[in-house]
Each structure stands twice: as structure tokens, then as C-alpha cells.
């Protein structure tokens, strides 16, 4: 099938390249000229493992093309996937302006019977709103809600191995038509109405954010009572009813999705007349947890960060990506900079986004002369570093492992002090 994908962000590019590899012909519309020329030159504007190869292969097979003009990209296609950004507006609502604009732009220019497939995360009710817009301009174009569940850093894997494919449609047959695109994949296709499909996305992300926050806050209690959070959470997660995933303590949930989607769900609940107190508490507890991790750094240098050197390992919001949006690492950096410390940071993929941080080329360089070293992103290479060399190059002797990534024993044997999240300090 010929499909247009509008918006070459990470969801758009992975969807486009993934669908192309399933045999469909994809026409990507991208309005940003810099991004477009990068793509046409064979360079990806984002780092996503496996994506470059997938895009290259699709382009070589003639199944993937890029267009500056969205109408041209959508010419004659059977479906248009909308993969545009929906940033949080001032009031906490997801801003669907970019999607609305494209729906309006395409109205009157689509082939008869074409489906508009909404992949962007949009507030509940948006598919119906887009339907009203397109109905005014070009009746007979059904809008389908088809939320996305890729994780950054494993988006290509997630495309080919989804736990489920969720499709919400009002017009009979349209959800099945979208589901048929994925025939080659071994995944259940869950069909429902568009409002419910939109709700699945927010519900999933909010639930995962709540799980992480539960793990983080329980870890804080473990630390206070002298229990080992890793052992406790592993045992809790071995109950099949609970499951092991997303119970890893860390510095708080980050990225472009959980912080945005939790707030958007609170806001859309409020607009619908429901006070989602539980989710509000999750967001507050996450903020407080981030503050407590920051406090550990202050504690490590004796209470005053002024003139102190902080070595920061990791900037990305998690390992496997160069994305620093809502990264807890950056929050930690900001808070220690505000306390008067200097920060030397190293990340294998992410660039430094905050003025005042000195970015260096290796983990050891970041540790040089540090009074305290902070592991903020769980890049596996940090666990394999020789801590005797770290101890030699540091000025102080404390390691704050905000990801519970390191082996505490190895750190302590190198003559350093160790403090994790919910682990006994040594
Ligand atoms: C998340 C969801 O996992 C995807 O299913 C969804 O499609 C995506 O949002 C989206 O809405 O687009 P992503 O933001 O890429 O994916 O990142 P996650 O892997 O979910 O991690 C989010 C944050 O939680 C990161 O800061 C991560 O370090 C943290 N985390 C995750 C923990 O602190 N502990 C865990 O056990 C798991």
C-alpha cells in the first residue's frame, strides 16, 4: 500500500522505515528544510539504534521518499499517518495545533477513501475533532486513532515486536484495514472506538510513570529502614500479577513522554470534571524524589556545593538515546550549578544542553578533580570503568549512583564511598 507519513521525528521515521520494510511504499512529508536536506543526504537527524540501516535499505529499495510538501507526500496514497509533535501547552494540555494544521492542509487533496491515521499522542477526543475538520473540507475521509508505544532507544525493536497494536475507529472496516498493514507481525490487534484508543496511550504511560515512582519512593523508604531496594523490588516484581518491568529505581522519570503525558492526563481529567488525585500525587512524588537525589549530592560534599566539582556521568534521559528532554540528569546538573558547583559531564551520545556545564570526551575526564561523581544515566560503559583510576583522578571520594548501575563492592574496593537509590550506603 502507498502510505504518507507526515512528520519525520523519531516516531515518524521509525514508522515510515518499519512500514517500508513490511513491503509498503512510504512518502514522508517533513516541513523543516534542514531536517529534510539531512534526510535526503542519507543522514538521520536523531540517534536511534538500527534506524539508519532500516532507512538506508528502504531508500535503496525505492520504498521510502521524502517531500517538503505535505500535499505532494499525500498524493494518491491510501492512508496518511500523522506523526507530528504535540508539546505540552501552558495549561498542561497537549497542543494539537500542528496536527490540526496538517489535517486542514490536506483536506480537499486526498484520494477518495483515504484514511487519516493519528499516531501523535493527542488529548482524548482529538480524532473526533480532526474528523469534524476534514468533514468540512473533504467528506468521506475517516479518521482513525492508532497510538504509538515505541520506546526511544529500542523503537525499531518495538516496531517489529509490539505487545499489541491498538486501533480506534468509528467507520466499520477501517480499523481492520490499518491492522492489515501489520499482517507480517505476530501481535494482537486490539480494535475499539477512537476515544478509547486515545485513552489507552495516556493510561499506559501514566501507569508506567506511576510504577517507576512507586519503585523510587519505596526505594527511599528502603534506604531509610536499611532494606535493599533492588532485592525488595525484584521480589515484588516476581509476583506474576505485578511483573518485573519498570520497577528499576532511578533519578525520576524523564523523556519526551512520561512527564508530558502524566500532566496531560491530569489536565484532560480536570477538563472532564474529574480530579485525578492519584496521578497528581505521582507527579509531585517524582519531583520530590528528584529533589532528594539532588540532596544526596549536596550531602556528599558536606552540605555546601560552592566551589565544588561535580563529575556527571550521563546527560540523556535514559541509556540508548541522545535525547535530553526532561532528563533527570539535566535537572541534577541545574540544581548543583545553582548551588555554586562546577559540572564536568560526559555522555556517550547526548550533547550538553545547559550553559555552564563543561562537556568532556570520556568518563574518566569527567571524574577528574571531582569532589563527587554522579551516575545520572545508565550507560553500560560506566559499569565497566576501572574505579581505581576513577579514585586516583577524583579530588573527593564519593560516588552517587542515581541509577543503581554500579557494583557497590567494586566502587568501595577502589577506596571510594558509594551511595545508590535505596541501597545501603558504603
Ligand atoms: C515511553 C513508553 O515506554 C513508550 O511505550 C511510549 O511509546 C513512549 O513513552 C511515548 O509515549 O512515545 P520512552 O519515553 O522512550 O517511552 O522511555 P522509557 O523507556 O519508557 O523511560 C521513561 C523514563 O523512565 C526514563 O527516564 C527512564 O530512565 C525511566 N525509567 C524507566 C526508570 O527510571 N525506571 C524504570 O524501571 C523504567
Amino acid at each position: 500500500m502507498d502510505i504518507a507519513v507526515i512528520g519525520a521525528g523519531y516516531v515518524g521515521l521509525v514508522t515510515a522505515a518499519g512500514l517500508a520494510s513490511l513491503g509498503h511504499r512510504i512518502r514522508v512529508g517533513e516541513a523543516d528544510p534542514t531536517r529534510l536536506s539531512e534526510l535526503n543526504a542519507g543522514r538521520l537527524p536523531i540517534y536511534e539504534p538500527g534506524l539508519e540501516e532500516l532507512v538506508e535499505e528502504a531508500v535503496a529499495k525505492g520504498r521510502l521518499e521524502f517531500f517538503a510538501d505535505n500535499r505532494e507526500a499525500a498524493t494518491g496514497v491510501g492512508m496518511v499517518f500523522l506523526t507530528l509533535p504535540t508539546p505540552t501547552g501552558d495549561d498542561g494540555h497537549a497542543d494539537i495545533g500542528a496536527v490540526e494544521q496538517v489535517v486542514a492542509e490536506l483536506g480537499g487533496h486526498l484520494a477518495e477513501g483515504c484514511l487519516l491515521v493519528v499516531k501523535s499522542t493527542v488529548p482524548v477526543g482529538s480524532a473526533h475533532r480532526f474528523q469534524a475538520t476534514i468533514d468540512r473540507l473533504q467528506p468521506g475521509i475517516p479518521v482513525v486513532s492508532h497510538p504509538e508505544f515505541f520506546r526511544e532507544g529500542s523503537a525499531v525493536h518495538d516496531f517489529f515486536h509490539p505487545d499489541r497494536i491498538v486501533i480506534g475507529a468509528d467507520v466499520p472496516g477501517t480499523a481492520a484495514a490499518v491492522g492489515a498493514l501489520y499482517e507480517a507481525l505476530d501481535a494482537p490487534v486490539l480494535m475499539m472506538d477512537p476515544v478509547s484508543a486515545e485513552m489507552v496511550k495516556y493510561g499506559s504511560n501514566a501507569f508506567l510513570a506511576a510504577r517507576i515512582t512507586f519503585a523510587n519512593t519505596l526505594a527511599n523508604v528502603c534506604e531509610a529502614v536499611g532494606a535493599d531496594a533492588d532485592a525488595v523490588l525484584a521480589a515484588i516484581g516476581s509476583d506474576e500479577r505485578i511483573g518485573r518491568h519498570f520497577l528499576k529505581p532511578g533519578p525520576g522519570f524523564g523523556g519526551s513522554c512520561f512527564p508530558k503525558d502524566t500532566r496531560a492526563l491530569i489536565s484532560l481529567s480536570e477538563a472532564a470534571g474529574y480530579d485525578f488525585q492519584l496521578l497528581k500525587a505521582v507527579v509531585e512524588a517524582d519531583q520530590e524524589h528528584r529533589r532528594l537525589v539532588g540532596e544526596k549530592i549536596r550531602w556528599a560534599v558536606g552540605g555546601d556545593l560552592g566551589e565544588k566539582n561535580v563529575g556527571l556521568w550521563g546527560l540523556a534521559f535514559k541509556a540508548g538515546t541522545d535525547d535530553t528532554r526532561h532528563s533527570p540528569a539535566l535537572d541534577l546538573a541545574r540544581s548543583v550549578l545553582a548551588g555554586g558547583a562546577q559540572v564536568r559531564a560526559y555522555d556517550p551520545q547526548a550533547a550538553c544542553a545547559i550553559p555552564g556545564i563543561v562537556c568532556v570526551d570520556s568518563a574518566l575526564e569527567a571524574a577528574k578533580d571531582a569532589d563527587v561523581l554522579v551516575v545520572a544515566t545508565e550507560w553500560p560503559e560506566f559499569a565497566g570503568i576501572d574505579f581505581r583510576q576513577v579514585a586516583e583522578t577524583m579530588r573527593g571520594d564519593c560516588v552517587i549512583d542515581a541509577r543503581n548501575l554500579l557494583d557497590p563492592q567494586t566502587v568501595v574496593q577502589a577506596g571510594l564511598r558509594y551511595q545508590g537509590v535505596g541501597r545501603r550506603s558504603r
Side-chain angles (χ1 to χ4, degrees):
M1 149 126 15
D2 285 0
I3 300 167
V5 173
I6 309 296
Y10 101 97
V11 171
L13 281 174
V14 174
T15 305
L19 287 171
S21 100
L22 295 181
H24 307 290
R25 280 178 308 275
I26 312 299
R27 300 162 65 85
V28 176
E30 172 54 51
D32 178 343
T34 320
R35 192 165 268 242
L36 185 71
S37 58
E38 290 270 295
L39 287 166
N40 278 323
R43 284 188 299 272
L44 288 193
I46 49 161
Y47 167 73
E48 188 62 43
L51 184 57
E52 200 169 335
E53 296 83 332
L54 206 64
V55 167
E56 246 172 52
E57 190 190 316
V59 170
K61 286 189 173 156
R63 292 201 196 130
L64 185 57
E65 284 179 279
F66 300 100
F67 298 85
D69 186 72
N70 292 334
R71 287 181 182 163
E72 195 185 342
T75 304
V77 299
M79 293 184 197
V80 176
F81 276 50
L82 300 165
T83 54
L84 296 139
T86 52
T88 309
D90 296 338
D91 55 356
H93 268 99
D95 179 356
I96 57 167
V99 188
E100 272 278 15
Q101 206 179 326
V102 169
V103 173
E105 184 187 352
L106 297 181
H109 299 268
L110 297 169
E112 202 182 319
C114 175
L115 304 183
L116 276 183
V117 182
V118 183
K119 266 221 159 292
S120 305
T121 302
V122 291
V124 172
S126 296
H128 284 158
R129 207 169 135 177
F130 301 143
Q131 187 71 65
T133 305
I134 198 80
D135 282 349
R136 277 197 300 277
L137 300 161
Q138 185 178 356
I141 302 289
V143 176
V144 177
S145 166
H146 178 25
E148 186 41 69
F149 303 104
F150 304 155
R151 289 159 300 173
E152 281 186 45
S154 53
V156 170
H157 172 273
D158 293 349
F159 178 89
F160 291 106
H161 305 94
D163 288 338
R164 78 296 205 198
I165 291 166
V166 174
I167 307 172
D170 288 324
V171 179
T174 50
V178 176
L181 298 176
Y182 302 98
E183 235 162 27
L185 303 181
D186 178 23
V189 177
L190 310 181
M191 298 188 209
M192 56 195 78
D193 63 275
V195 173
S196 302
E198 288 164 342
M199 200 61 197
V200 173
K201 172 70 185 191
Y202 283 110
S204 299
N205 276 359
F207 187 76
L208 291 170
R211 269 181 82 97
I212 296 166
T213 307
F214 185 84
N216 286 340
T217 47
L218 191 72
N220 292 336
V221 180
C222 287
E223 206 170 296
V225 301
D228 175 2
D230 291 342
V232 170
L233 286 161
I236 290 174
S238 343
D239 183 329
E240 263 187 35
R241 294 169 302 174
I242 296 172
R244 292 167 193 273
H245 298 291
F246 279 67
L247 285 180
K248 179 114 181 62
F253 56 79
S256 61
C257 306
F258 289 176
K260 168 172 81 81
D261 292 350
T262 43
R263 283 161 180 84
L265 182 51
I266 290 169
S267 161
L268 75 87
S269 307
E270 231 152 48
Y274 181 71
D275 182 10
F276 203 152
Q277 289 185 20
L278 177 65
L279 197 52
K280 284 181 177 169
V282 167
V283 170
E284 274 170 33
D286 180 64
Q287 292 299 321
E288 175 60 8
H289 177 71
R290 286 171 183 239
R291 194 189 63 76
L292 287 175
V293 177
E295 279 303 302
K296 283 184 180 171
I297 306 175
R298 190 186 299 278
W299 156 86
V301 296
D304 182 7
L305 283 159
E307 307 293 308
K308 294 291 193 296
N309 293 336
V310 176
L312 187 65
W313 282 1
L315 294 165
F317 80 93
K318 64 174 183 179
T321 176
D322 61 352
D323 195 342
T324 57
R325 283 177 288 176
H326 296 282
S327 173
L330 296 194
D331 269 5
L332 290 175
R334 279 191 203 96
S335 85
V336 297
L337 283 171
Q342 275 116 41
V343 179
R344 278 163 76 85
Y346 166 71
D347 189 288
Q349 288 296 337
C352 229
I354 301 184
I357 300 185
V358 177
C359 272
V360 293
D361 291 332
S362 76
L364 265 186
E365 268 183 78
K368 190 169 182 307
D369 294 331
D371 294 291
V372 53
L373 178 66
V374 181
V375 181
T377 310
E378 73 282 24
W379 289 104
E381 72 170 71
F382 297 152
I385 284 171
D386 180 350
F387 276 87
R388 280 168 310 209
Q389 285 187 33
V390 173
E392 264 168 40
T393 198
M394 281 178 71
R395 189 163 76 180
D397 68 349
C398 192
V399 177
I400 306 288
D401 180 5
R403 292 285 185 171
N404 287 0
L405 173 76
L406 309 176
D407 171 26
Q409 211 52 25
T410 311
V411 177
V412 171
Q413 275 163 5
L416 296 163
R417 289 184 293 141
Y418 176 89
Q419 170 81 67
V421 182
R423 288 173 156 182
R424 276 182 222 114
S425 48
R426 292 158 208 237

